[in-house]
Amino acid sequence: MDENVKNQLDQLGDIIDAKLEKAHGQAVESATGKADDALKGEIKNLTQKFTERMDAIEVSNKKRFDASQREDKSFGGNLTKAIKEGALDSMRNGSNRSSMFDIKADMTVAADFTGDVIPPQRIPGYKFDPTTPQNLRQLIPIGSTNSDVVRYVKESAYSNGGAAKAEGATLGQTDFDMTAVDANVRKIGTYLRISDEMLHDTPQISSYLSARVPAKLMEVEDDQILGGNGSAPNLNGFYNSGTNFDVSASGKFYESVTAANEFDVLVAAINQLEINNYKADYILLNPTDFHKILLLKDTTNNYLKDQVYQGLQPNFLGVPIAVNNEVNPGTFLVGNFGQAAQLWVRDNVSVEFFTEDGTNVRDGFVTVRVMERVALATYLPKAIIDGTFSTAKAAITP
């Protein structure tokens, strides 16, 4: 407290004490035992002034405390304060050639915490980009086999001798040619090596690998189902076992098409399929081609998709669309895949862990093998129509 303020309060207190003593004397001498009213009024006024003075001192002290709390805590602010308080005086007056003083800075996490002082919150599991939402094996029937070869008999050719005949005339002969076809079981697989410590010390790593690696294997299977060339060790995929888009099979209806686009091509492919008495159950497209078709507009700038796309399941003319990244960009497949082909499984996808592999025992590693053995039989090539959009558009443009 300021000395001058303290002296003033002391003087005010002395006056109040004197008045109280005088009032006590008056009360003793008075017959009623009470002090004079005027004297009591003076004491009341002095007491009120004393209280007001104390309140003012309390408010003043609070302001000074708040100001000190708002004091600049930065390095520059503390340095300026230290100099003002005489930190360099010894150098200025020549008594010392150097000066040293402490600058106390606030503690911060970045400056004062080293290492994992505040433990981070750990999110369980592993984060990764999604895999193909719909694999091609989901579009065709799946069977199981105990052999390494799946053999089936297919009609390879026929001649229809049926005709209207007059009474007594000889009927024409019909011939069907049958051919036995083999679909060989092929192996698709991969492996990886992880340390024994990683397998045992990393939570959920085995379940993560058991889900993640087979999903990637399914992408390879999709590629084989679509584009396998049939030569060992490849499957005979749809591009090589189906039927090429052929506009001549559709008659001359396409002569009315002008400025042919991708949607026109799909209509012509569906027509080619139905000429062979098949009803399309799926259209396979690359995602880029699918979304390109959604952007097609008519001559009045209206989107064609408004007429051919509806519901949560995308479809063109009622035929569901299956989008898959393994479909070659710029190509299409339209077919009745449920009738056309079947995937035969000899050994389904398996995930196995081995320690007895190579130098694993010495090196402390574990080998993870993911493998399947399957065969693809394309029974009815005419039930799958495939082609490229650029070639097909040119073909249907008069």
Side-chain angles (χ1 to χ4, degrees), residues 211-225:
R212 186 68 170 145
V213 182
K216 288 298 182 183
L217 194 71
M218 287 295 96
E219 294 180 5
V220 180
E221 182 187 90
D222 285 350
D223 181 66
Q224 284 289 313
I225 292 175

Side-chain angles (χ1 to χ4, degrees), residues 290 294 304-316:
F290 169 64
L294 295 186
L304 295 179
K305 75 175 182 65
D306 293 336
Q307 304 170 30
V308 300
Y309 181 102
Q310 61 183 356
L312 298 177
Q313 169 68 53
N315 67 81
F316 294 149

Side-chain angles (χ1 to χ4, degrees), residues 18-219:
K19 293 294 184 180
L20 289 173
E21 186 176 351
K22 183 178 179 181
H24 177 70
Q26 286 184 356
V28 171
E29 294 174 356
S30 172
T32 61
K34 297 181 180 179
D36 181 73
D37 290 337
L39 181 59
K40 288 193 293 183
E42 290 180 6
I43 294 173
K44 181 179 179 181
N45 290 336
L46 288 171
T47 303
Q48 183 176 350
K49 288 181 180 180
F50 186 90
T51 302
E52 291 174 354
R53 188 60 174 165
M54 288 299 295
D55 290 342
I57 292 172
E58 183 178 352
V59 172
S60 177
N61 287 339
K62 186 177 186 303
K63 288 181 178 179
R64 284 199 298 271
F65 176 79
D66 291 342
S68 67
Q69 292 298 101
R70 294 192 299 269
E71 185 179 359
D72 190 357
K73 299 282 181 79
S74 66
F75 177 84
N78 283 312
L79 179 61
T80 301
K81 179 181 177 183
I83 293 174
K84 286 182 178 180
E85 293 177 353
L88 300 180
D89 288 351
S90 59
M91 289 183 62
R92 291 172 178 166
N93 59 29
S95 60
N96 284 313
R97 299 180 61 184
S98 64
S99 180
M100 182 178 68
F101 48 92
D102 294 330
I103 301 296
K104 296 181 179 179
D106 288 348
M107 290 181 65
T108 63
V109 171
D112 297 287
F113 284 2
T114 303
D116 208 10
V117 177
I118 302 176
Q121 180 178 344
R122 300 292 184 183
I123 306 300
Y126 302 92
K127 309 303 177 186
F128 50 85
D129 291 328
T131 53
T132 303
Q134 186 177 33
N135 295 111
L136 297 183
R137 62 161 51 198
Q138 297 172 253
L139 309 183
I140 58 178
I142 297 178
S144 61
T145 178
N146 293 321
S147 177
D148 62 348
V149 176
V150 175
R151 180 168 294 170
Y152 58 94
V153 178
K154 63 183 293 184
E155 178 186 291
S156 56
Y158 70 91
S159 60
N160 188 359
K165 295 291 182 177
E167 183 178 0
T170 301
L171 298 176
Q173 182 178 347
T174 296
D175 291 319
F176 292 91
D177 296 333
M178 302 296 177
T179 302
V181 180
D182 291 342
N184 296 306
V185 172
R186 305 300 188 189
K187 179 170 62 178
I188 302 174
T190 186
Y191 81 95
L192 60 150
R193 297 178 71 212
I194 61 176
S195 69
D196 186 66
E197 290 83 358
M198 183 178 183
L199 182 63
H200 291 94
D201 297 344
T202 307
Q204 302 176 349
I205 188 66
S206 60
S207 59
Y208 164 73
L209 293 175
S210 297
R212 186 68 170 145
V213 182
K216 288 298 182 183
L217 194 71
M218 287 295 96
E219 294 180 5

